[in-house]
Amino acid sequence: MMKNLLPFALFLTFLISVVFVGQASANAEGPSVIQQVINNATVYGEASTESAIIGHVAQGSFVKATPVNEEWTHIQMQQLEGYVATSTLTNLTPEKLVVAKKGGTSLFTYPSPSAQKTGQLNENTTVLMYGTAPGGWSFVQYGHETGYAATNTFKKPTVTKKRVNVVNGAVLHLTASPSGEVIGTIAHQTIVQQYAILAGWAYVEAGEQKGYIKASELANLMILDNKVYNKGVTVAKGAKKRVALTFDDGPDARVTPQILAILKKYDVKATFFMVGKNVSRNPATVEKVYADGHEIGNHTWNHPKLTTLTKVNVKQEVDRTSNAIYAAIGQYPTVFRPPYGATSEQVRSVMSIPSILWSVDTLDWKHRNADKILAYVKASVKDGSIILMHDIHQSTANGLENVILYLQQQGYELVTVSEILQ
């Protein structure tokens, strides 16, 4: 008789726990956060030691926690939900990491490859990492998803400052998707910290606001002066050295996309100084450069030596190109490069953005030799260098990968011109 009643009793116990879990969720108040269990905790069906015990949580576990009052917190984790004493939990400060593994990384319920798989994070996804577990595991969160993933599949992100450039503000999503939960709007002209870009979506932070907005709704910070710069600001002692890769005379329908693919492969941002007539011929390529997060500069319409022109003609060359760039991406260029480096007070008098020269000339336009590009870089590069190349020569595309690999191996961070000037 007792054997016959045992299955029924177990089923009844399961139903009671489901009821308690439902009540727990209903009674919890306030925002949910990730916390860690600092002492082995008993989980109750209600916020009372008089209620049924529905489980236990081991020290070191990570839980979604919603405060109820000073004494009780509602927690949720895989297959267990209820109340624990608030004193058994501690707050955590998450670290932002980016998925670096090609093909992405998997989320598991427990720190083990044999645990149940709960999700997949794509490469370049920005996550919040709350802590680690033995065996090389990290507990991470993406949107509402949480779980354990292999620590070696993540890297620290490169953070850059950007400016929201949408008149009505940029809609902030919890995840990198147009269907992701909308969690706010970041106002026009707001300066944000940009982390990685995932499928055209940038993870950003502005004060308490954090989430994904369209990368195309961000612009580089502008330096509003007409000074001439041939190198960037050197970094403080102990900080990572920086160089800026720049490409002139494009966009080219054949070569520029190859260069973009290599830059993307190594998560590098560069600055493209575009000739206006090429912009008008290749607007889709201009749009791709911008969508990939690169900076776009003005390199005049016809590539003349500006110091031989009248002030009126200089202005026509510059304005026509700026308008063509705006027509392609809805943004004006942030920097200017005079063809041949030829500038003067008269030329600069029509400019409201800085004129950018260079400190490392690869002479790629002259020798058209992929190996020589790297040789010129090795001979002259240092912290703050602005490197001149051209995205209209196949040999430049052929040599770019080795240049990037060398610079990264030497400890350089590769940034845009506007970033290296600040």
Side-chain angles (χ1 to χ4, degrees):
M1 180 68 175
M2 290 297 294
K3 287 184 179 179
N4 292 335
L5 288 175
L6 184 58
F8 175 76
L10 290 173
F11 178 68
L12 184 60
T13 302
F14 170 76
L15 285 179
I16 290 171
S17 7
V18 169
V19 171
F20 283 138
V21 166
Q23 290 175 343
S25 276
N27 293 335
E29 299 176 357
S32 176
V33 297
I34 303 298
Q35 292 189 312
Q36 190 171 28
V37 179
I38 54 175
N39 294 309
N40 294 337
T42 301
V43 184
Y44 296 88
E46 296 180 9
S48 168
T49 54
E50 302 299 319
S51 65
I53 295 175
I54 59 174
H56 296 85
V57 185
Q59 179 181 347
S61 299
F62 299 93
V63 298
K64 284 185 179 179
T66 308
V68 177
N69 53 44
E70 291 185 0
E71 295 182 1
W72 292 96
T73 296
H74 173 259
I75 66 161
Q76 183 179 3
M77 56 191 304
Q78 291 294 331
Q79 300 177 339
L80 183 60
E81 188 174 355
Y83 290 90
V84 299
T86 301
S87 60
T88 63
L89 302 173
T90 187
N91 291 320
L92 299 168
T93 301
E95 177 185 3
K96 278 167 285 294
L97 296 177
V98 172
V99 177
K101 183 181 178 182
K102 294 190 181 302
T105 190
S106 298
L107 278 180
F108 296 90
T109 53
Y110 299 104
S112 168
S114 60
Q116 180 184 350
K117 183 177 174 180
T118 62
Q120 182 73 17
L121 301 175
N122 295 322
E123 183 183 359
N124 279 341
T125 301
T126 302
V127 302
L128 301 178
M129 192 277 288
Y130 287 90
T132 59
W137 294 89
S138 293
F139 186 84
V140 302
Q141 180 179 25
Y142 169 68
H144 292 300
E145 292 185 77
T146 59
Y148 290 91
T151 301
N152 62 8
T153 61
F154 298 101
K155 68 177 181 180
K156 290 187 176 182
T158 299
V159 184
T160 58
K161 286 186 178 181
K162 298 280 184 173
R163 174 175 52 84
V164 173
N165 201 30
V166 187
V167 174
N168 295 323
V171 177
L172 189 67
H173 294 256
L174 184 63
T175 54
S177 168
S179 59
E181 180 184 337
V182 174
I183 55 177
T185 301
I186 302 182
H188 182 48
Q189 301 292 354
T190 301
I191 305 300
V192 302
Q193 299 274 4
Q194 176 190 284
Y195 293 78
I197 295 178
L198 169 63
W201 291 83
Y203 183 87
V204 300
E205 288 192 355
E208 295 299 314
Q209 292 183 292
K210 305 171 185 179
Y212 286 89
I213 65 173
K214 293 179 181 177
S216 59
E217 296 178 338
L218 292 170
N220 291 300
L221 298 184
M222 292 180 63
I223 300 174
L224 297 176
D225 64 37
N226 63 353
K227 295 178 182 178
V228 179
Y229 298 87
N230 64 359
K231 61 183 179 180
V233 176
T234 55
V235 298
K237 186 176 181 180
K240 194 168 187 179
K241 301 178 295 183
R242 302 181 303 171
V243 296
L245 299 182
T246 66
F247 299 91
D248 284 11
D249 295 356
D252 181 87
R254 182 174 57 88
V255 178
T256 304
Q258 296 177 50
I259 286 176
L260 289 176
I262 295 168
L263 295 174
K264 186 172 185 178
K265 179 179 179 180
Y266 293 98
D267 194 23
V268 168
K269 297 295 179 276
T271 302
F272 290 77
F273 290 96
M274 297 185 176
V275 171
K277 61 185 180 182
N278 290 335
V279 170
S280 65
R281 292 169 184 161
N282 303 291
T285 305
V286 181
E287 194 173 0
K288 175 62 175 169
V289 172
Y290 183 68
D292 281 3
H294 303 292
E295 184 170 23
I296 294 180
N298 184 320
H299 198 42
T300 73
W301 185 265
N302 285 305
H303 204 273
K305 189 173 183 179
L306 294 179
T307 51
T308 67
L309 303 183
T310 65
K311 185 174 179 178
V312 170
N313 288 337
V314 170
K315 184 170 175 56
Q316 288 174 342
E317 283 281 337
V318 173
D319 288 352
R320 191 177 179 188
T321 302
S322 291
N323 290 336
I325 291 170
Y326 185 87
I329 63 172
Q331 311 292 335
Y332 287 106
T334 49
V335 283
F336 173 74
R337 173 168 282 166
Y340 315 106
T343 188
S344 66
E345 271 191 41
Q346 176 176 281
V347 170
R348 293 193 298 278
S349 70
V350 306
M351 306 300 304
S352 60
I353 53 178
S355 295
I356 310 301
L357 302 183
W358 53 87
S359 52
V360 178
D361 188 350
T362 63
L363 297 177
D364 59 337
W365 59 273
K366 185 176 183 179
H367 55 67
R368 309 288 179 90
N369 183 307
D371 294 332
K372 285 187 177 181
I373 296 173
L374 179 58
Y376 279 101
V377 170
K378 285 183 175 180
S380 305
V381 71
K382 58 185 178 181
D383 182 30
S385 288
I386 297 175
I387 301 174
L388 171 62
M389 291 179 281
H390 298 76
D391 59 321
I392 57 173
H393 305 305
Q394 184 61 50
S395 53
T396 300
N398 294 345
L400 179 60
E401 190 161 10
N402 284 337
V403 169
I404 292 173
L405 285 170
Y406 170 78
L407 291 171
Q408 291 183 335
Q409 288 166 0
Q410 296 301 309
Y412 287 101
E413 179 184 358
L414 281 65
V415 299
T416 66
V417 161
S418 285
E419 289 166 343
I420 209 167
L421 294 182
Q422 300 181 54

